[in-house]
Amino acid sequence: AFPDLRAATEALGVFQAAEVRFNDADWLVARTGYTGEDGFEITLPAGEAALVWYQLRGAGIQPCGLGARDTLRLEAGMNLYGQDMDENISPYEAGLKWTVDLKDSARNFVGREALAGSEAPPPRNQFQGLLLLDRGVLRAHQKVITPLGEGETTSGSFSPTLNQSIALARLPLDVAIGSEVEVEIRDKRLKARVVKPVFVRNGKP
């Protein structure tokens, strides 16, 4: 449907983007993988959105809702701003340490001084995944009880791929991967296992 865009973006790798001049406007086509799937994200002028929607539908692209996007990004272990992370949460407490490079002195970014300074507070929590072992559904802001203190879920839902409920959570630092914890759901304590927060990769558990 968009041969000019295709030509400009065919060589894009994961986490790459291309600015494209299209229909006399600037477009951005990216492959951030935010849905956990191999696909593209398009940023375009608002006035073009309806036409592009119908052109994509005409090309056989199937639409999906926000709920599907949310379960996909959760299965991929990806943060949602305002829920799993915000300006008050350190990248170290949001599972995003891999995005921070303090060794490269030439690479500047917002928040570098706060993270690199001698007064930077040490992480208080770790960011991990939970796999619910009992029957129920994990949601955001549920209390997590561990032998080392309390934590909290930040995102949670039912995983269609795993046929099980999963969540992202901030937990005490020394809670180990593979250990069992309890999550308070409607005044009940349900068992969950701590796992690395990539539940599904490339469509496979």
Side-chain angles (χ1 to χ4, degrees):
F2 308 100
D4 294 341
L5 289 179
R6 180 173 181 174
T9 58
E10 276 186 326
L12 285 181
V14 178
F15 290 113
Q16 292 184 338
E19 290 184 283
V20 182
R21 189 72 183 171
F22 185 67
N23 286 355
D24 295 322
D26 293 322
W27 294 38
L28 180 70
V29 182
R31 290 187 65 194
T32 66
Y34 184 67
T35 63
E37 300 291 327
D38 183 16
F40 294 85
E41 299 80 42
I42 305 171
T43 305
L44 67 159
E48 300 271 3
L51 177 61
V52 170
W53 171 265
Y54 288 112
Q55 286 177 310
L56 289 171
R57 291 293 310 274
I61 304 297
Q62 294 295 314
C64 71
L66 187 61
R69 189 289 320 256
D70 199 48
T71 57
L72 285 167
R73 71 93 190 166
L74 185 55
E75 289 182 340
M78 296 184 176
N79 289 0
L80 179 63
Y81 186 81
Q83 195 160 311
D84 305 299
M85 58 183 284
D86 59 33
E87 60 187 12
N88 298 311
I89 299 296
S90 158
Y92 302 132
E93 293 189 330
L96 296 172
K97 184 178 180 180
W98 62 276
T99 68
V100 178
D101 184 1
L102 296 177
K103 294 179 182 178
D104 183 355
S105 59
R107 183 172 181 263
N108 196 17
F109 54 89
V110 174
R112 180 188 177 102
E113 291 183 9
L115 293 174
S118 59
E119 297 180 4
R124 297 167 297 172
N125 301 290
Q126 59 173 314
F127 192 67
Q128 297 295 356
L130 296 178
L131 188 65
L132 191 63
L133 302 177
D134 290 328
R135 187 169 181 172
V137 178
L138 296 170
R139 301 290 185 196
H141 307 300
Q142 293 172 330
K143 185 187 297 184
V144 182
I145 298 96
T146 85
L148 300 172
E150 293 183 355
E152 183 183 32
T153 59
T154 57
S155 284
S157 187
F158 185 80
S159 163
T161 305
L162 300 178
N163 197 33
Q164 210 164 353
S165 190
I166 59 175
L168 299 173
R170 257 183 281 285
L171 304 173
L173 285 175
D174 293 329
V175 174
I177 298 290
S179 61
E180 286 192 10
V181 297
E182 293 180 317
V183 183
E184 280 194 2
I185 302 177
R186 296 181 179 177
D187 299 323
K188 294 182 180 179
R189 291 189 176 188
L190 303 184
K191 292 181 180 179
R193 179 174 292 114
V194 179
V195 298
K196 290 185 178 181
V198 177
F199 303 94
V200 177
R201 193 186 301 275
N202 298 324
K204 298 180 180 179

